[in-house]
mmCIF file of all heavy atoms in Angstrom:
data_model
loop_
_atom_site.group_PDB
_atom_site.id
_atom_site.type_symbol
_atom_site.label_atom_id
_atom_site.label_comp_id
_atom_site.label_asym_id
_atom_site.label_seq_id
_atom_site.Cartn_x
_atom_site.Cartn_y
_atom_site.Cartn_z
ATOM 1 N N ILE A 312 -2.471 -4.222 -6.040
ATOM 2 C CA ILE A 312 -2.536 -4.200 -4.578
ATOM 3 C C ILE A 312 -3.951 -3.924 -4.111
ATOM 4 O O ILE A 312 -4.751 -3.335 -4.826
ATOM 5 C CB ILE A 312 -1.585 -3.155 -3.956
ATOM 6 C CG1 ILE A 312 -1.940 -1.744 -4.417
ATOM 7 C CG2 ILE A 312 -0.146 -3.480 -4.215
ATOM 8 C CD1 ILE A 312 -1.211 -0.654 -3.664
ATOM 9 N N VAL A 313 -4.194 -4.366 -2.898
ATOM 10 C CA VAL A 313 -5.424 -4.049 -2.182
ATOM 11 C C VAL A 313 -5.001 -3.691 -0.770
ATOM 12 O O VAL A 313 -4.164 -4.378 -0.175
ATOM 13 C CB VAL A 313 -6.401 -5.246 -2.157
ATOM 14 C CG1 VAL A 313 -7.586 -4.954 -1.258
ATOM 15 C CG2 VAL A 313 -6.869 -5.589 -3.552
ATOM 16 N N VAL A 314 -5.559 -2.623 -0.240
ATOM 17 C CA VAL A 314 -5.284 -2.237 1.135
ATOM 18 C C VAL A 314 -6.570 -2.399 1.936
ATOM 19 O O VAL A 314 -7.619 -1.888 1.549
ATOM 20 C CB VAL A 314 -4.790 -0.770 1.236
ATOM 21 C CG1 VAL A 314 -4.565 -0.378 2.691
ATOM 22 C CG2 VAL A 314 -3.516 -0.586 0.426
ATOM 23 N N ASP A 315 -6.481 -3.137 3.018
ATOM 24 C CA ASP A 315 -7.623 -3.293 3.919
ATOM 25 C C ASP A 315 -7.704 -2.018 4.752
ATOM 26 O O ASP A 315 -6.983 -1.847 5.737
ATOM 27 C CB ASP A 315 -7.423 -4.514 4.803
ATOM 28 C CG ASP A 315 -8.595 -4.792 5.715
ATOM 29 O OD1 ASP A 315 -9.450 -3.895 5.901
ATOM 30 O OD2 ASP A 315 -8.662 -5.906 6.258
ATOM 31 N N LEU A 316 -8.563 -1.114 4.333
ATOM 32 C CA LEU A 316 -8.647 0.195 4.987
ATOM 33 C C LEU A 316 -9.260 0.116 6.378
ATOM 34 O O LEU A 316 -9.110 1.054 7.171
ATOM 35 C CB LEU A 316 -9.417 1.174 4.098
ATOM 36 C CG LEU A 316 -8.728 1.478 2.766
ATOM 37 C CD1 LEU A 316 -9.610 2.347 1.894
ATOM 38 C CD2 LEU A 316 -7.368 2.122 2.980
ATOM 39 N N THR A 317 -9.912 -0.982 6.713
ATOM 40 C CA THR A 317 -10.409 -1.151 8.081
ATOM 41 C C THR A 317 -9.272 -1.562 9.011
ATOM 42 O O THR A 317 -9.342 -1.318 10.206
ATOM 43 C CB THR A 317 -11.546 -2.195 8.157
ATOM 44 O OG1 THR A 317 -11.057 -3.468 7.725
ATOM 45 C CG2 THR A 317 -12.721 -1.773 7.313
ATOM 46 N N ARG A 318 -8.245 -2.149 8.454
ATOM 47 C CA ARG A 318 -7.077 -2.554 9.233
ATOM 48 C C ARG A 318 -6.022 -1.448 9.294
ATOM 49 O O ARG A 318 -5.308 -1.313 10.283
ATOM 50 C CB ARG A 318 -6.473 -3.806 8.612
ATOM 51 C CG ARG A 318 -5.335 -4.387 9.398
ATOM 52 C CD ARG A 318 -4.815 -5.620 8.720
ATOM 53 N NE ARG A 318 -5.757 -6.701 8.925
ATOM 54 C CZ ARG A 318 -5.439 -7.966 8.965
ATOM 55 N NH1 ARG A 318 -4.181 -8.337 8.763
ATOM 56 N NH2 ARG A 318 -6.342 -8.890 9.162
ATOM 57 N N CYS A 319 -5.936 -0.645 8.236
ATOM 58 C CA CYS A 319 -4.943 0.429 8.144
ATOM 59 C C CYS A 319 -5.118 1.407 9.311
ATOM 60 O O CYS A 319 -6.222 1.856 9.595
ATOM 61 C CB CYS A 319 -5.101 1.168 6.815
ATOM 62 S SG CYS A 319 -3.978 2.567 6.628
ATOM 63 N N GLN A 320 -4.008 1.722 9.953
ATOM 64 C CA GLN A 320 -4.024 2.642 11.090
ATOM 65 C C GLN A 320 -3.356 3.976 10.781
ATOM 66 O O GLN A 320 -3.156 4.790 11.671
ATOM 67 C CB GLN A 320 -3.332 1.990 12.293
ATOM 68 C CG GLN A 320 -4.029 0.744 12.790
ATOM 69 C CD GLN A 320 -5.404 1.060 13.354
ATOM 70 O OE1 GLN A 320 -5.538 1.914 14.224
ATOM 71 N NE2 GLN A 320 -6.422 0.380 12.853
ATOM 72 N N GLY A 321 -2.977 4.195 9.533
ATOM 73 C CA GLY A 321 -2.401 5.479 9.141
ATOM 74 C C GLY A 321 -0.962 5.683 9.578
ATOM 75 O O GLY A 321 -0.524 6.822 9.715
ATOM 76 N N TYR A 322 -0.194 4.604 9.762
ATOM 77 C CA TYR A 322 1.213 4.751 10.142
ATOM 78 C C TYR A 322 2.045 5.349 9.005
ATOM 79 O O TYR A 322 3.110 5.889 9.229
ATOM 80 C CB TYR A 322 1.811 3.403 10.548
ATOM 81 C CG TYR A 322 1.256 2.879 11.843
ATOM 82 C CD1 TYR A 322 0.362 1.806 11.854
ATOM 83 C CD2 TYR A 322 1.618 3.439 13.055
ATOM 84 C CE1 TYR A 322 -0.145 1.317 13.043
ATOM 85 C CE2 TYR A 322 1.107 2.961 14.253
ATOM 86 C CZ TYR A 322 0.223 1.903 14.234
ATOM 87 O OH TYR A 322 -0.285 1.425 15.412
ATOM 88 N N ALA A 323 1.567 5.215 7.771
ATOM 89 C CA ALA A 323 2.156 5.825 6.571
ATOM 90 C C ALA A 323 3.532 5.300 6.185
ATOM 91 O O ALA A 323 4.253 5.955 5.447
ATOM 92 C CB ALA A 323 2.180 7.346 6.687
ATOM 93 N N GLN A 324 3.907 4.134 6.636
ATOM 94 C CA GLN A 324 5.167 3.538 6.194
ATOM 95 C C GLN A 324 5.149 3.324 4.689
ATOM 96 O O GLN A 324 6.153 3.523 4.016
ATOM 97 C CB GLN A 324 5.417 2.203 6.922
ATOM 98 C CG GLN A 324 5.618 2.341 8.405
ATOM 99 C CD GLN A 324 6.772 3.259 8.732
ATOM 100 O OE1 GLN A 324 7.880 3.075 8.250
ATOM 101 N NE2 GLN A 324 6.510 4.276 9.533
ATOM 102 N N CYS A 325 3.983 2.955 4.150
ATOM 103 C CA CYS A 325 3.851 2.747 2.711
ATOM 104 C C CYS A 325 4.076 4.048 1.942
ATOM 105 O O CYS A 325 4.692 4.049 0.871
ATOM 106 C CB CYS A 325 2.487 2.151 2.381
ATOM 107 S SG CYS A 325 1.079 3.127 2.953
ATOM 108 N N VAL A 326 3.614 5.151 2.484
ATOM 109 C CA VAL A 326 3.767 6.453 1.827
ATOM 110 C C VAL A 326 5.246 6.828 1.749
ATOM 111 O O VAL A 326 5.711 7.333 0.725
ATOM 112 C CB VAL A 326 2.969 7.544 2.566
ATOM 113 C CG1 VAL A 326 3.184 8.912 1.935
ATOM 114 C CG2 VAL A 326 1.485 7.192 2.584
ATOM 115 N N PHE A 327 5.990 6.551 2.796
ATOM 116 C CA PHE A 327 7.418 6.866 2.805
ATOM 117 C C PHE A 327 8.193 5.976 1.835
ATOM 118 O O PHE A 327 9.128 6.420 1.189
ATOM 119 C CB PHE A 327 8.006 6.734 4.208
ATOM 120 C CG PHE A 327 7.459 7.743 5.171
ATOM 121 C CD1 PHE A 327 6.776 7.333 6.299
ATOM 122 C CD2 PHE A 327 7.612 9.104 4.957
ATOM 123 C CE1 PHE A 327 6.256 8.255 7.193
ATOM 124 C CE2 PHE A 327 7.097 10.035 5.839
ATOM 125 C CZ PHE A 327 6.423 9.605 6.962
ATOM 126 N N LEU A 328 7.792 4.697 1.735
ATOM 127 C CA LEU A 328 8.529 3.752 0.903
ATOM 128 C C LEU A 328 8.125 3.783 -0.563
ATOM 129 O O LEU A 328 8.943 3.485 -1.432
ATOM 130 C CB LEU A 328 8.370 2.334 1.462
ATOM 131 C CG LEU A 328 9.068 2.115 2.799
ATOM 132 C CD1 LEU A 328 8.608 0.834 3.449
ATOM 133 C CD2 LEU A 328 10.576 2.102 2.596
ATOM 134 N N ALA A 329 6.875 4.113 -0.852
ATOM 135 C CA ALA A 329 6.403 4.134 -2.242
ATOM 136 C C ALA A 329 5.486 5.342 -2.475
ATOM 137 O O ALA A 329 4.283 5.193 -2.700
ATOM 138 C CB ALA A 329 5.677 2.831 -2.567
ATOM 139 N N PRO A 330 6.044 6.541 -2.447
ATOM 140 C CA PRO A 330 5.218 7.748 -2.554
ATOM 141 C C PRO A 330 4.536 7.935 -3.912
ATOM 142 O O PRO A 330 3.585 8.699 -4.013
ATOM 143 C CB PRO A 330 6.201 8.882 -2.271
ATOM 144 C CG PRO A 330 7.538 8.320 -2.593
ATOM 145 C CD PRO A 330 7.458 6.862 -2.263
ATOM 146 N N LYS A 331 4.989 7.241 -4.941
ATOM 147 C CA LYS A 331 4.325 7.332 -6.245
ATOM 148 C C LYS A 331 3.074 6.457 -6.296
ATOM 149 O O LYS A 331 2.279 6.588 -7.219
ATOM 150 C CB LYS A 331 5.279 6.937 -7.365
ATOM 151 C CG LYS A 331 6.400 7.929 -7.574
ATOM 152 C CD LYS A 331 7.264 7.539 -8.734
ATOM 153 C CE LYS A 331 8.378 8.555 -8.919
ATOM 154 N NZ LYS A 331 9.256 8.164 -10.027
ATOM 155 N N VAL A 332 2.905 5.578 -5.318
ATOM 156 C CA VAL A 332 1.775 4.656 -5.291
ATOM 157 C C VAL A 332 0.799 4.996 -4.171
ATOM 158 O O VAL A 332 -0.411 4.946 -4.360
ATOM 159 C CB VAL A 332 2.273 3.201 -5.143
ATOM 160 C CG1 VAL A 332 1.115 2.237 -5.019
ATOM 161 C CG2 VAL A 332 3.175 2.831 -6.316
ATOM 162 N N PHE A 333 1.324 5.352 -3.005
ATOM 163 C CA PHE A 333 0.499 5.629 -1.829
ATOM 164 C C PHE A 333 0.537 7.115 -1.490
ATOM 165 O O PHE A 333 1.580 7.754 -1.597
ATOM 166 C CB PHE A 333 1.016 4.843 -0.619
ATOM 167 C CG PHE A 333 1.010 3.362 -0.814
ATOM 168 C CD1 PHE A 333 2.155 2.695 -1.216
ATOM 169 C CD2 PHE A 333 -0.138 2.625 -0.597
ATOM 170 C CE1 PHE A 333 2.161 1.323 -1.392
ATOM 171 C CE2 PHE A 333 -0.153 1.261 -0.767
ATOM 172 C CZ PHE A 333 0.997 0.605 -1.171
ATOM 173 N N GLU A 334 -0.585 7.631 -1.036
ATOM 174 C CA GLU A 334 -0.667 9.038 -0.646
ATOM 175 C C GLU A 334 -1.597 9.151 0.561
ATOM 176 O O GLU A 334 -2.685 8.566 0.574
ATOM 177 C CB GLU A 334 -1.224 9.866 -1.793
ATOM 178 C CG GLU A 334 -1.395 11.321 -1.489
ATOM 179 C CD GLU A 334 -2.053 12.084 -2.629
ATOM 180 O OE1 GLU A 334 -2.147 11.537 -3.748
ATOM 181 O OE2 GLU A 334 -2.485 13.216 -2.381
ATOM 182 N N LEU A 335 -1.161 9.881 1.556
ATOM 183 C CA LEU A 335 -1.995 10.121 2.723
ATOM 184 C C LEU A 335 -2.842 11.356 2.463
ATOM 185 O O LEU A 335 -2.325 12.419 2.131
ATOM 186 C CB LEU A 335 -1.114 10.319 3.955
ATOM 187 C CG LEU A 335 -1.695 9.887 5.290
ATOM 188 C CD1 LEU A 335 -2.203 8.452 5.254
ATOM 189 C CD2 LEU A 335 -0.676 10.045 6.382
ATOM 190 N N HIS A 336 -4.131 11.206 2.583
ATOM 191 C CA HIS A 336 -5.070 12.313 2.362
ATOM 192 C C HIS A 336 -5.624 12.694 3.725
ATOM 193 O O HIS A 336 -6.357 11.927 4.337
ATOM 194 C CB HIS A 336 -6.186 11.863 1.413
ATOM 195 C CG HIS A 336 -7.078 12.966 0.991
ATOM 196 N ND1 HIS A 336 -8.276 13.221 1.601
ATOM 197 C CD2 HIS A 336 -6.926 13.901 0.025
ATOM 198 C CE1 HIS A 336 -8.844 14.251 1.015
ATOM 199 N NE2 HIS A 336 -8.045 14.685 0.060
ATOM 200 N N GLY A 337 -5.245 13.861 4.211
ATOM 201 C CA GLY A 337 -5.594 14.216 5.580
ATOM 202 C C GLY A 337 -4.656 13.483 6.525
ATOM 203 O O GLY A 337 -3.547 13.132 6.154
ATOM 204 N N GLU A 338 -5.104 13.208 7.722
ATOM 205 C CA GLU A 338 -4.237 12.529 8.687
ATOM 206 C C GLU A 338 -4.271 11.015 8.571
ATOM 207 O O GLU A 338 -3.308 10.347 8.896
ATOM 208 C CB GLU A 338 -4.618 12.938 10.103
ATOM 209 C CG GLU A 338 -4.212 14.360 10.414
ATOM 210 C CD GLU A 338 -4.435 14.706 11.859
ATOM 211 O OE1 GLU A 338 -4.353 13.811 12.717
ATOM 212 O OE2 GLU A 338 -4.699 15.887 12.124
ATOM 213 N N GLU A 339 -5.390 10.450 8.125
ATOM 214 C CA GLU A 339 -5.481 8.994 8.092
ATOM 215 C C GLU A 339 -6.094 8.417 6.828
ATOM 216 O O GLU A 339 -6.205 7.214 6.702
ATOM 217 C CB GLU A 339 -6.275 8.498 9.302
ATOM 218 C CG GLU A 339 -5.575 8.751 10.609
ATOM 219 C CD GLU A 339 -6.347 8.184 11.791
ATOM 220 O OE1 GLU A 339 -7.319 7.460 11.567
ATOM 221 O OE2 GLU A 339 -5.949 8.477 12.911
ATOM 222 N N GLY A 340 -6.511 9.248 5.867
ATOM 223 C CA GLY A 340 -7.132 8.733 4.644
ATOM 224 C C GLY A 340 -6.070 8.324 3.645
ATOM 225 O O GLY A 340 -5.331 9.155 3.138
ATOM 226 N N LEU A 341 -6.001 7.042 3.352
ATOM 227 C CA LEU A 341 -4.988 6.540 2.431
ATOM 228 C C LEU A 341 -5.572 6.406 1.032
ATOM 229 O O LEU A 341 -6.613 5.786 0.840
ATOM 230 C CB LEU A 341 -4.469 5.179 2.902
ATOM 231 C CG LEU A 341 -3.363 4.567 2.053
ATOM 232 C CD1 LEU A 341 -2.090 5.401 2.190
ATOM 233 C CD2 LEU A 341 -3.114 3.127 2.459
ATOM 234 N N LEU A 342 -4.887 6.999 0.058
ATOM 235 C CA LEU A 342 -5.214 6.835 -1.353
ATOM 236 C C LEU A 342 -4.090 6.015 -1.967
ATOM 237 O O LEU A 342 -2.924 6.181 -1.600
ATOM 238 C CB LEU A 342 -5.305 8.191 -2.055
ATOM 239 C CG LEU A 342 -6.305 9.192 -1.489
ATOM 240 C CD1 LEU A 342 -6.179 10.524 -2.227
ATOM 241 C CD2 LEU A 342 -7.717 8.651 -1.619
ATOM 242 N N TYR A 343 -4.440 5.134 -2.923
ATOM 243 C CA TYR A 343 -3.400 4.325 -3.543
ATOM 244 C C TYR A 343 -3.825 3.884 -4.936
ATOM 245 O O TYR A 343 -5.005 3.803 -5.245
ATOM 246 C CB TYR A 343 -3.059 3.111 -2.687
ATOM 247 C CG TYR A 343 -4.202 2.128 -2.496
ATOM 248 C CD1 TYR A 343 -4.296 0.994 -3.289
ATOM 249 C CD2 TYR A 343 -5.174 2.337 -1.519
ATOM 250 C CE1 TYR A 343 -5.336 0.090 -3.114
ATOM 251 C CE2 TYR A 343 -6.204 1.439 -1.336
ATOM 252 C CZ TYR A 343 -6.280 0.317 -2.134
ATOM 253 O OH TYR A 343 -7.314 -0.560 -1.959
ATOM 254 N N ALA A 344 -2.831 3.607 -5.770
ATOM 255 C CA ALA A 344 -3.068 3.082 -7.105
ATOM 256 C C ALA A 344 -3.231 1.571 -6.989
ATOM 257 O O ALA A 344 -2.482 0.928 -6.247
ATOM 258 C CB ALA A 344 -1.884 3.408 -8.007
ATOM 259 N N THR A 345 -4.194 0.995 -7.677
ATOM 260 C CA THR A 345 -4.397 -0.458 -7.588
ATOM 261 C C THR A 345 -3.524 -1.225 -8.566
ATOM 262 O O THR A 345 -3.152 -2.360 -8.299
ATOM 263 C CB THR A 345 -5.870 -0.827 -7.812
ATOM 264 O OG1 THR A 345 -6.295 -0.293 -9.055
ATOM 265 C CG2 THR A 345 -6.738 -0.279 -6.692
ATOM 266 N N ALA A 346 -3.193 -0.636 -9.695
ATOM 267 C CA ALA A 346 -2.284 -1.253 -10.658
ATOM 268 C C ALA A 346 -0.924 -0.568 -10.529
ATOM 269 O O ALA A 346 -0.824 0.642 -10.639
ATOM 270 C CB ALA A 346 -2.823 -1.109 -12.071
ATOM 271 N N ILE A 347 0.092 -1.354 -10.278
ATOM 272 C CA ILE A 347 1.413 -0.811 -9.967
ATOM 273 C C ILE A 347 2.320 -0.842 -11.192
ATOM 274 O O ILE A 347 2.501 -1.891 -11.803
ATOM 275 C CB ILE A 347 2.066 -1.630 -8.830
ATOM 276 C CG1 ILE A 347 1.122 -1.746 -7.648
ATOM 277 C CG2 ILE A 347 3.394 -1.028 -8.424
ATOM 278 C CD1 ILE A 347 0.568 -0.451 -7.134
ATOM 279 N N PRO A 348 2.921 0.300 -11.549
ATOM 280 C CA PRO A 348 3.877 0.318 -12.663
ATOM 281 C C PRO A 348 5.096 -0.555 -12.326
ATOM 282 O O PRO A 348 5.470 -0.707 -11.155
ATOM 283 C CB PRO A 348 4.296 1.791 -12.758
ATOM 284 C CG PRO A 348 3.296 2.554 -11.961
ATOM 285 C CD PRO A 348 2.724 1.613 -10.953
ATOM 286 N N ASP A 349 5.706 -1.111 -13.350
ATOM 287 C CA ASP A 349 6.848 -2.009 -13.158
ATOM 288 C C ASP A 349 7.972 -1.386 -12.337
ATOM 289 O O ASP A 349 8.615 -2.069 -11.550
ATOM 290 C CB ASP A 349 7.402 -2.472 -14.504
ATOM 291 C CG ASP A 349 6.440 -3.412 -15.221
ATOM 292 O OD1 ASP A 349 5.564 -4.004 -14.552
ATOM 293 O OD2 ASP A 349 6.570 -3.552 -16.452
ATOM 294 N N ASP A 350 8.202 -0.088 -12.504
ATOM 295 C CA ASP A 350 9.313 0.554 -11.790
ATOM 296 C C ASP A 350 9.023 0.777 -10.304
ATOM 297 O O ASP A 350 9.902 1.187 -9.556
ATOM 298 C CB ASP A 350 9.714 1.864 -12.461
ATOM 299 C CG ASP A 350 8.646 2.946 -12.362
ATOM 300 O OD1 ASP A 350 7.448 2.617 -12.231
ATOM 301 O OD2 ASP A 350 9.017 4.133 -12.418
ATOM 302 N N GLN A 351 7.800 0.468 -9.865
ATOM 303 C CA GLN A 351 7.431 0.654 -8.460
ATOM 304 C C GLN A 351 7.203 -0.664 -7.712
ATOM 305 O O GLN A 351 6.918 -0.663 -6.515
ATOM 306 C CB GLN A 351 6.155 1.495 -8.366
ATOM 307 C CG GLN A 351 6.335 2.912 -8.859
ATOM 308 C CD GLN A 351 7.336 3.686 -8.011
ATOM 309 O OE1 GLN A 351 7.172 3.803 -6.795
ATOM 310 N NE2 GLN A 351 8.385 4.184 -8.632
ATOM 311 N N VAL A 352 7.344 -1.784 -8.396
ATOM 312 C CA VAL A 352 7.033 -3.091 -7.811
ATOM 313 C C VAL A 352 7.852 -3.364 -6.547
ATOM 314 O O VAL A 352 7.308 -3.760 -5.509
ATOM 315 C CB VAL A 352 7.212 -4.219 -8.849
ATOM 316 C CG1 VAL A 352 7.171 -5.590 -8.191
ATOM 317 C CG2 VAL A 352 6.140 -4.108 -9.920
ATOM 318 N N GLU A 353 9.153 -3.169 -6.613
ATOM 319 C CA GLU A 353 9.995 -3.460 -5.442
ATOM 320 C C GLU A 353 9.660 -2.538 -4.280
ATOM 321 O O GLU A 353 9.625 -2.957 -3.124
ATOM 322 C CB GLU A 353 11.480 -3.354 -5.799
ATOM 323 C CG GLU A 353 12.394 -3.771 -4.663
ATOM 324 C CD GLU A 353 12.127 -5.193 -4.149
ATOM 325 O OE1 GLU A 353 11.764 -6.080 -4.934
ATOM 326 O OE2 GLU A 353 12.279 -5.412 -2.928
#
Side-chain angles (χ1 to χ4, degrees):
I312 61 170
V313 173
V314 178
D315 183 344
L316 296 175
T317 61
R318 185 179 286 209
C319 177
Q320 297 294 307
Y322 291 107
Q324 295 302 307
C325 57
V326 177
F327 294 119
L328 291 166
K331 291 183 180 178
V332 176
F333 300 97
E334 178 184 347
L335 210 53
H336 188 263
E338 288 187 30
E339 294 183 9
L341 182 68
L342 302 175
Y343 63 98
T345 55
I347 308 307
D349 291 339
D350 67 334
Q351 294 297 303
V352 168
E353 185 56 34

